[in-house]
Amino acid sequence: MSAFTAPGVYAEIADLVACYADDDHPESAIDGLFLTRRCSPSGRLHVDQRPSFWLVAGGRKCLTVGDEELHYGVGDCLLVALDLPATARIVEASEAAPHLCVGVAINPARLAELIGRLPDQATAAPSGLRGVAVNPASPELLDATLRLLRLLERPADVAAMAPLIEQEILYRLLSGPHGARLLHIAMADGQGHRVTRAVAWLRAHFAEPLRIEALADHVGMSESSLHHHFKAVTNMTPMQYQKQLRLYEARRLMLAENMDVGTAGYSVGYQSPSQFSREYRRLYGLSPARDLEALRAPLAAE
């Protein structure tokens, strides 16, 4: 496909996303395919990014990981190579020109199987690469994504065709500008993969006291090496990563389960209510009580 056809491809992608997106649920009828549509800019929302890629077909968005902001719009592809807590906000969206986005989950097992079939020279990746990045979407990636979306119009073809197109999408990611990042995270003998294991441990034990020495020993790294490579990949220290997980879960408990501020902070590992409130305000810009009031206001107005 020629780059000259890209405007038409984006128009069709946008039409399909607009047609099949559910404003309340990003999941689609195809497992691992996510569609989002928003008609107005938003404030900062905490998002739990999992390995995936996201293609914008309308509007613009900003993702903040640690202290790094990534802005992306039509023509851009966001790759998330490992689990990352982040905050996101929609920058450009309206009723006439909504923000439209399509995402595809990256299955680590299928990615590893595909990497195993690549030539050796294609699986060499430099270390120290960030686990999230924005790059222009290639025509080949656009074409494969469009064909996956078209399956929504042909449900009978999904079971047979979706896995094949998903494999092609993984190959297009590996052979494009995002490839080195995916390889850095996925190669079992690399430092990036050890960071992924550290991330998995932190997610499973985020409410427990963090001992860097024990975490480093768990993933087979020295403390200094863990700190260096973890920060390089996630743009956060292990402690900062744990803190974001704790605050995200506390916010969910208060909003979705009506848990009071003190109980929510204690449930995610905070022993000091004042420290919980201070760190919550630093991340979300408001105290827990004020933040919940602001989040619930639109719901009360409906």
Side-chain angles (χ1 to χ4, degrees):
M1 181 178 63
S2 167
F4 292 111
T5 65
V9 171
Y10 272 111
E12 187 174 353
I13 290 175
D15 287 344
L16 287 167
V17 174
C19 179
Y20 289 97
D22 182 333
D23 291 352
D24 297 320
H25 304 285
E27 296 83 3
S28 74
I30 299 175
D31 187 39
L33 175 67
F34 304 97
L35 308 175
T36 62
R37 176 184 57 206
R38 296 292 183 269
C39 295
S40 62
S42 72
R44 293 198 309 164
L45 298 174
H46 196 116
V47 291
D48 198 17
Q49 291 283 5
R50 299 304 175 102
S52 55
F53 93 90
W54 296 86
L55 186 68
V56 178
R60 292 189 64 80
K61 196 170 184 179
C62 174
L63 186 76
T64 303
V65 180
D67 59 1
E68 180 181 14
E69 287 192 346
L70 296 100
H71 293 261
Y72 51 109
V74 177
D76 293 326
C77 171
L78 170 76
L79 175 81
V80 182
L82 77 166
D83 296 348
L84 287 172
T87 58
R89 59 187 175 90
I90 296 169
V91 179
E92 292 180 10
S94 67
E95 290 286 347
H99 170 71
L100 301 168
C101 197
V102 53
V104 177
I106 295 175
N107 183 297
R110 294 172 188 166
L111 177 64
E113 192 275 334
L114 179 58
I115 290 173
R117 292 190 275 117
L118 296 178
D120 289 342
Q121 62 269 26
T123 58
S127 63
L129 292 174
R130 187 82 75 227
V132 58
V134 173
N135 278 298
S138 70
E140 294 78 14
L141 182 61
L142 287 173
D143 179 54
T145 303
L146 176 56
R147 283 185 279 112
L148 184 63
L149 283 168
R150 284 173 177 162
L151 292 180
L152 293 170
E153 301 176 312
R154 303 189 302 275
D157 293 346
V158 169
M161 296 301 300
L164 301 177
I165 300 175
E166 177 192 359
Q167 179 172 269
E168 180 184 348
I169 286 173
L170 289 177
Y171 176 74
R172 298 304 180 191
L173 290 171
L174 283 169
S175 59
H178 288 303
R181 297 177 193 279
L182 280 174
L183 289 169
H184 178 50
I185 298 300
M187 298 301 286
D189 58 348
Q191 300 288 17
H193 187 70
R194 292 186 175 93
V195 170
T196 302
R197 290 174 55 205
V199 162
W201 190 94
L202 285 169
R203 285 189 170 275
H205 304 276
F206 67 87
E208 301 174 12
L210 175 58
R211 293 177 54 245
I212 296 297
E213 180 182 3
L215 179 58
D217 183 66
H218 174 73
V219 299
M221 301 173 76
S222 68
E223 292 182 50
S224 60
S225 180
L226 171 63
H227 188 279
H228 171 75
H229 288 285
F230 196 99
K231 182 69 182 288
V233 171
T234 69
N235 200 36
M236 289 173 272
T237 66
M239 188 71 72
Q240 290 170 331
Y241 190 102
Q242 181 200 49
K243 186 182 302 182
Q244 289 215 19
L245 291 179
R246 286 181 167 186
L247 295 172
Y248 173 70
E249 176 62 9
R251 195 188 209 200
R252 187 195 69 80
L253 290 171
M254 292 185 291
L255 187 62
E257 302 186 18
N258 292 316
M259 191 174 287
D260 65 81
V261 173
T263 303
Y266 183 79
S267 297
V268 300
Y270 282 96
Q271 303 301 313
S272 166
S274 61
Q275 182 187 8
F276 171 59
S277 294
R278 183 170 58 252
E279 293 185 354
Y280 190 102
R281 182 191 295 272
R282 188 175 298 130
L283 179 62
Y284 291 112
L286 295 170
S287 68
R290 293 286 299 277
D291 183 46
L292 289 178
E293 182 181 344
L295 289 170
R296 289 169 174 156
L299 299 177
E302 293 180 354

